[in-house]
Amino acid sequence: MKESKKEGDTKKKLEEFGEGVLQEIEKGKGPKFVTLSRSRSNVRYDEKKGILSLGGNSEERNFVNVGQAKRFMQTMAIASKCHKFISENLHTTIRGLFYQLKYSLGEDIDENIFNEQAESNPLVEDLEVSLGVKREDLNLNANRKGVLAGNMRVIDHFGGERIEIDTSKQGRSGWAIPSDVDNEIEFVDVKAKFVLVVEKDAVWQRLNEDGFWKKENCILITPQGQASRGIRRLIRKLADMGLPVYVFNDADAWGWYIYWTIKTGSMNLAYIGNEIATPEARFIGVTMKDIENYDFLKKLVMKANEVDIKRAQEMLQYPWINRHKEWVAELQKVIKTKTKLEQDTLQAPKLTFIDDYIREKVKKKDFLP
Amino acid sequence: MKESKKEGDTKKKLEEFGEGVLQEIEKGKGPKFVTLSRSRSNVRYDEKKGILSLGGNSEERNFVNVGQAKRFMQTMAIASKCHKFISENLHTTIRGLFYQLKYSLGEDIDENIFNEQAESNPLVEDLEVSLGVKREDLNLNANRKGVLAGNMRVIDHFGGERIEIDTSKQGRSGWAIPSDVDNEIEFVDVKAKFVLVVEKDAVWQRLNEDGFWKKENCILITPQGQASRGIRRLIRKLADMGLPVYVFNDADAWGWYIYWTIKTGSMNLAYIGNEIATPEARFIGVTMKDIENYDFLKKLVMKANEVDIKRAQEMLQYPWINRHKEWVAELQKVIKTKTKLEQDTLQAPKLTFIDDYIREKVKKKDFLP
């Protein structure tokens, strides 16, 4: 079995964290640890990397501080629970963790020190940042969504078994992308030439049915809407293998948001931006510009709603977006014409037109940055 | 390849439908067809079958009727498009269909006779009811969600290939349940003793990790919230194979709704109630009654919100629910105590307690009807 990152890494980090606290107590010092502020004021756009990440504002958590003592104890309880989960080789979610914390903190503590999950969630993040791990490394699964098809294999070290999954043999279903694509999962024989991420499952199914990923030798992914942590991490990993990443979404507020979240990461997850952002990603479409090139789309544009217009205006304010004249033109077109476009429209002339569209865009490298 | 139900059935029905219309025109009659009213007043609870289905109120659609001529033509256009999809062996969605209709109705018709998808959706239903088929048979995929693990195999006749998927070898991912589980899909070697449907994917993952379906020899399904048409149909099919179906949800408005939709079907889909409802299903938990039996749950109940209370009150009015004294007691408990309970709470004493809970309930046949 592939050496688990957790056994060799996260578990040890948790132990060192606990031992460090103990040592400080033994030395008569007040135990403390350092984390980074995740407030918006400490989120910055890293020009060089092209991702949203945290700035240097660190925060100390001190046990000997009336305002922090309870949260410190709570953090230790979370660390202890996660250490147990890793030792047992069992996973749960931040909700499962919360119920464990609320029920009992251990044999010796009977007091109810957790009331709401809103108390435990930020402390999990504290621990992630402080230890330099992701919650997935703490055996805390995040929501998963999305499927994949393509010429590669997955080795899933699961339940003591080595399960091999050929993602080119999953039929109409595709391979359901797990929450954690790092620990106990290997991607082998990745033979594709590029990654195609498609916003909607319906369009993914269309392309899968046409064997698009076979013909064009790509890895075909749908996040089924916004990309989960696991999918963003998977896209990052595939990009690290040298594959170009093309994202195919609606030309509307939601489609743009999904793209930029994949590309630069998000404010909320700026603390793991390095691991989940893929600045190399390119936007394949659909675009308002497509309407000039594909005449039939004129008939199929939709009225943009307030959310779309407002989002376009906001995006024009972001320096990492308005530096690209192509995006400025695209967003201004939406604001000016008050229209938007769905990727599903490309099925209008014939069901397989989507395939032709993507093939041509990839061939001409006709992307938005 | 397994004979496709569509080739031998739906395609022929569409052709007969078209020929019938032609013949009536040739005879100098106004063409018409009959469908059933899907209005709420024609939805009834079928006592004998235990499902929501349509009553006998039929409606005629006449071409020679100023108020109906346009919709008649639209319906013919939909029938024609679906016939084409089936002939091409390609699938789309009702959204994809709409864009095709909006773009062009064919070589000879240039007029824009569809403006909104709200026009085409009910006509698809007209066609389903009139022909006695489901939209999946018309090559129109519905939204899919949900995964499955268990001792069985799926033969997916997909893209000209015969793809065999062993649903006991899908690791942490599970097999993603497709939109259409009838045409071109076979379920073979179903060796399980029962079906366990689990509302939340997080809890499904917990049980999958524990190998619960292996130990108890069940088919473990999560609809990931409300069950899709495909999942409801799959549950019906598994019940037809003689497997008992147990549903494990939250004790709240959403959890009850998911259960009753699986069991009796829903108002909106009463027109295919026979094919997607599973009145044999039983509710395994969690229940408010559990709080009496599992002491630790006292600490973990949540405050019910207005939606939960209102839903409980509404459910007490439904004759198919209030006939069961166990459900009356359960719902009244929620209304009286203004509390509810999540299935995730069962992880509180230890992560694997969920397994013990389900095992005991199944053993004792301790279900709500």
Side-chain angles (χ1 to χ4, degrees):
Chain A
M1 180 169 158
K2 189 186 168 228
E3 200 207 346
S4 164
K5 185 176 161 192
K6 288 168 304 198
E7 284 296 330
D9 194 356
T10 309
K11 196 177 168 194
K12 205 169 146 219
K13 282 183 177 178
L14 283 165
E15 285 163 7
E16 286 167 356
F17 174 58
E19 280 159 12
V21 169
L22 268 183
Q23 279 165 16
E24 288 186 84
I25 293 170
E26 276 163 11
K27 284 183 201 156
K29 287 193 209 165
K32 59 173 188 273
F33 70 95
V34 176
T35 184
L36 290 172
S37 162
R38 269 116 40 219
S39 74
R40 288 291 152 102
S41 60
N42 197 35
V43 172
R44 67 201 174 94
Y45 177 68
D46 182 327
E47 286 265 353
K48 214 173 133 198
K49 292 183 181 163
I51 66 173
L52 293 165
S53 63
L54 289 187
N57 296 352
S58 62
E59 290 178 358
E60 245 184 40
R61 307 284 188 241
N62 291 288
F63 184 59
V64 193
N65 175 318
V66 176
Q68 296 182 5
K70 185 176 175 185
R71 281 200 294 163
F72 195 98
M73 179 171 71
Q74 288 173 322
T75 307
M76 295 308 293
I78 290 170
S80 164
K81 289 286 185 194
C82 291
H83 184 265
K84 190 160 174 282
F85 300 154
I86 296 173
S87 303
E88 294 170 337
N89 199 21
L90 297 176
H91 293 74
T92 185
T93 56
I94 52 175
R95 187 111 191 109
L97 167 69
F98 162 69
Y99 277 124
Q100 281 227 341
L101 294 165
K102 185 164 182 176
Y103 169 59
S104 164
L105 287 181
E107 299 74 27
D108 305 329
I109 308 170
D110 210 26
E111 213 175 331
N112 200 358
I113 67 157
F114 282 93
N115 285 307
E116 300 293 335
Q117 200 186 328
E119 290 174 87
S120 52
N121 287 356
L123 302 181
V124 171
E125 287 187 12
D126 262 7
L127 211 54
E128 289 180 69
V129 175
S130 169
L131 302 182
V133 301
K134 293 196 302 298
R135 81 180 49 168
E136 290 81 359
D137 304 321
L138 296 165
N139 280 23
L140 298 172
N141 283 333
N143 282 344
R144 62 166 181 158
K145 261 192 328 182
V147 296
L148 175 154
N151 287 316
M152 68 176 206
R153 284 180 303 123
V154 176
I155 315 294
D156 183 355
H157 299 279
F158 182 67
E161 283 184 74
R162 182 187 184 279
I163 295 175
E164 190 176 316
I165 293 165
D166 185 335
T167 61
S168 74
K169 305 259 185 240
Q170 300 302 305
R172 70 195 63 219
S173 290
W175 174 64
I177 300 167
S179 166
D180 180 3
V181 295
D182 282 306
N183 302 296
E184 301 173 335
I185 288 264
E186 291 171 90
F187 299 93
V188 294
D189 293 338
V190 181
K191 287 179 185 147
K193 284 195 253 171
F194 61 93
V195 176
L196 180 66
V197 181
V198 181
E199 175 181 342
K200 291 179 191 168
D201 187 33
V203 176
W204 184 93
Q205 289 184 56
R206 190 76 282 293
L207 290 165
N208 186 43
E209 177 168 77
D210 295 342
F212 182 83
W213 57 266
K214 255 184 230 177
K215 292 173 193 161
E216 303 302 317
N217 194 15
C218 68
I219 304 285
L220 185 64
I221 294 176
T222 177
Q224 298 177 320
Q226 180 58 290
S228 66
R229 292 168 63 116
I231 289 183
R232 290 188 235 172
R233 178 70 189 135
L234 175 60
I235 294 170
R236 175 68 266 159
K237 284 169 79 103
L238 291 168
D240 284 339
M241 295 177 201
L243 301 187
V245 173
Y246 308 132
V247 181
F248 175 44
N249 288 359
D250 286 347
D252 67 12
W254 190 230
W256 304 320
Y257 183 51
I258 293 168
Y259 172 65
W260 284 97
T261 297
I262 289 170
K263 188 180 176 77
T264 60
S266 58
M267 303 265 185
N268 285 338
L269 297 186
Y271 70 96
I272 50 169
N274 258 326
E275 298 209 54
I276 60 164
T278 305
E280 305 94 321
R282 295 293 175 266
F283 191 81
I284 206 166
V286 288
T287 65
M288 300 308 289
K289 199 164 171 289
D290 286 337
I291 301 168
E292 297 162 23
N293 302 330
Y294 300 95
D295 205 49
F296 72 92
L297 291 175
K298 284 191 182 63
K299 212 173 168 180
L300 304 177
V301 290
M302 285 168 76
K303 203 174 166 299
N305 58 34
E306 268 179 56
V307 174
D308 300 308
I309 306 284
K310 193 162 162 277
R311 182 77 193 156
Q313 285 161 341
E314 279 168 11
M315 285 172 67
L316 284 172
Q317 304 306 311
Y318 297 152
W320 58 92
I321 295 178
N322 66 25
R323 67 200 295 164
H324 302 295
K325 63 181 189 310
E326 300 93 331
W327 274 104
V328 171
E330 178 73 10
L331 296 169
Q332 281 177 344
K333 210 166 283 181
V334 170
I335 294 167
K336 199 180 150 202
T337 63
K338 292 191 171 53
T339 55
K340 61 178 177 178
L341 193 64
E342 283 193 316
Q343 57 182 180
D344 316 64
T345 53
L346 295 173
Q347 299 173 67
K350 60 177 182 178
L351 290 184
T352 57
F353 185 78
I354 301 181
D355 308 49
D356 302 343
Y357 169 92
I358 296 172
R359 206 174 284 122
E360 188 170 322
K361 286 243 175 167
V362 170
K363 199 177 155 193
K364 292 188 180 165
K365 294 195 183 301
D366 180 12
F367 311 125
L368 294 188
Chain B
M1 180 168 162
K2 189 187 169 232
E3 201 207 346
S4 165
K5 185 177 160 191
K6 287 168 304 197
E7 284 298 328
D9 194 356
T10 309
K11 196 178 167 192
K12 205 169 144 219
K13 283 183 178 177
L14 283 165
E15 286 163 6
E16 285 166 358
F17 174 58
E19 281 159 12
V21 168
L22 268 183
Q23 278 164 16
E24 288 185 84
I25 293 171
E26 277 163 12
K27 283 183 204 155
K29 287 194 209 166
K32 58 173 189 273
F33 69 95
V34 176
T35 185
L36 289 172
S37 162
R38 270 115 40 218
S39 74
R40 286 293 149 101
S41 60
N42 197 34
V43 172
R44 67 198 176 96
Y45 177 69
D46 182 328
E47 285 266 352
K48 215 174 134 198
K49 292 184 181 164
I51 66 172
L52 293 165
S53 63
L54 289 187
N57 296 352
S58 61
E59 290 177 358
E60 245 184 38
R61 308 283 188 242
N62 291 289
F63 184 58
V64 192
N65 175 318
V66 176
Q68 296 183 5
K70 184 175 177 186
R71 282 201 293 163
F72 195 98
M73 179 172 71
Q74 288 175 321
T75 307
M76 295 308 293
I78 290 170
S80 164
K81 289 284 185 196
C82 291
H83 184 266
K84 189 159 176 283
F85 300 154
I86 296 173
S87 304
E88 295 170 334
N89 200 22
L90 297 176
H91 293 73
T92 185
T93 57
I94 51 175
R95 188 111 191 108
L97 167 69
F98 162 69
Y99 277 123
Q100 282 226 341
L101 294 164
K102 186 166 182 176
Y103 169 60
S104 164
L105 287 181
E107 299 73 28
D108 304 329
I109 308 171
D110 210 27
E111 212 175 331
N112 200 358
I113 67 158
F114 283 92
N115 285 307
E116 299 293 333
Q117 201 185 327
E119 291 174 85
S120 51
N121 288 355
L123 301 182
V124 172
E125 288 186 13
D126 262 6
L127 210 54
E128 289 179 69
V129 174
S130 169
L131 301 182
V133 301
K134 294 196 301 299
R135 80 180 49 166
E136 290 82 359
D137 304 320
L138 297 166
N139 279 24
L140 299 172
N141 283 332
N143 282 343
R144 62 167 183 159
K145 261 192 328 182
V147 295
L148 175 155
N151 288 316
M152 70 176 204
R153 283 180 304 124
V154 176
I155 314 295
D156 182 355
H157 300 277
F158 183 66
E161 283 185 75
R162 183 187 182 278
I163 295 175
E164 190 175 316
I165 293 165
D166 185 335
T167 61
S168 74
K169 305 259 186 240
Q170 300 302 306
R172 71 196 61 217
S173 290
W175 174 65
I177 300 167
S179 165
D180 180 3
V181 295
D182 282 305
N183 302 296
E184 301 174 335
I185 287 265
E186 291 172 89
F187 299 94
V188 295
D189 292 339
V190 181
K191 287 179 183 148
K193 284 195 254 170
F194 62 93
V195 176
L196 180 64
V197 182
V198 181
E199 174 181 345
K200 291 178 192 170
D201 187 34
V203 176
W204 184 94
Q205 289 184 56
R206 190 78 279 298
L207 289 165
N208 186 43
E209 177 168 78
D210 295 343
F212 183 83
W213 57 266
K214 255 183 229 178
K215 292 174 193 161
E216 304 303 318
N217 195 14
C218 68
I219 304 285
L220 185 63
I221 293 176
T222 177
Q224 298 178 319
Q226 180 59 289
S228 66
R229 291 167 64 115
I231 289 182
R232 290 188 234 171
R233 177 70 190 137
L234 175 60
I235 294 170
R236 173 70 265 158
K237 283 169 79 101
L238 292 168
D240 284 338
M241 295 177 200
L243 302 186
V245 173
Y246 308 133
V247 182
F248 175 45
N249 288 0
D250 286 346
D252 65 13
W254 191 229
W256 303 320
Y257 183 51
I258 293 168
Y259 171 64
W260 284 98
T261 297
I262 289 171
K263 187 180 177 77
T264 60
S266 57
M267 304 263 185
N268 285 339
L269 297 186
Y271 70 96
I272 49 168
N274 259 325
E275 298 209 55
I276 60 164
T278 305
E280 306 94 321
R282 296 293 176 265
F283 191 81
I284 206 167
V286 289
T287 66
M288 300 308 289
K289 199 165 171 289
D290 285 337
I291 301 167
E292 297 163 23
N293 302 330
Y294 300 96
D295 206 48
F296 72 90
L297 291 175
K298 284 192 181 63
K299 214 173 165 180
L300 305 177
V301 290
M302 286 168 76
K303 204 174 163 301
N305 57 34
E306 267 178 57
V307 174
D308 300 308
I309 306 284
K310 192 162 164 279
R311 182 78 194 154
Q313 285 162 342
E314 279 168 11
M315 285 172 67
L316 284 171
Q317 304 305 314
Y318 298 151
W320 58 92
I321 296 179
N322 67 24
R323 67 201 294 166
H324 301 295
K325 64 181 189 311
E326 301 92 330
W327 273 105
V328 171
E330 178 73 9
L331 297 169
Q332 282 178 342
K333 210 166 283 179
V334 170
I335 294 167
K336 200 180 148 199
T337 62
K338 292 190 169 55
T339 55
K340 62 178 177 178
L341 193 63
E342 283 193 316
Q343 56 181 181
D344 316 64
T345 53
L346 295 173
Q347 299 173 68
K350 60 176 184 180
L351 291 185
T352 58
F353 185 78
I354 301 182
D355 309 48
D356 302 344
Y357 168 92
I358 296 172
R359 205 174 283 122
E360 189 171 322
K361 285 243 174 165
V362 170
K363 198 177 155 193
K364 291 187 180 165
K365 295 197 183 298
D366 181 11
F367 311 125
L368 294 187

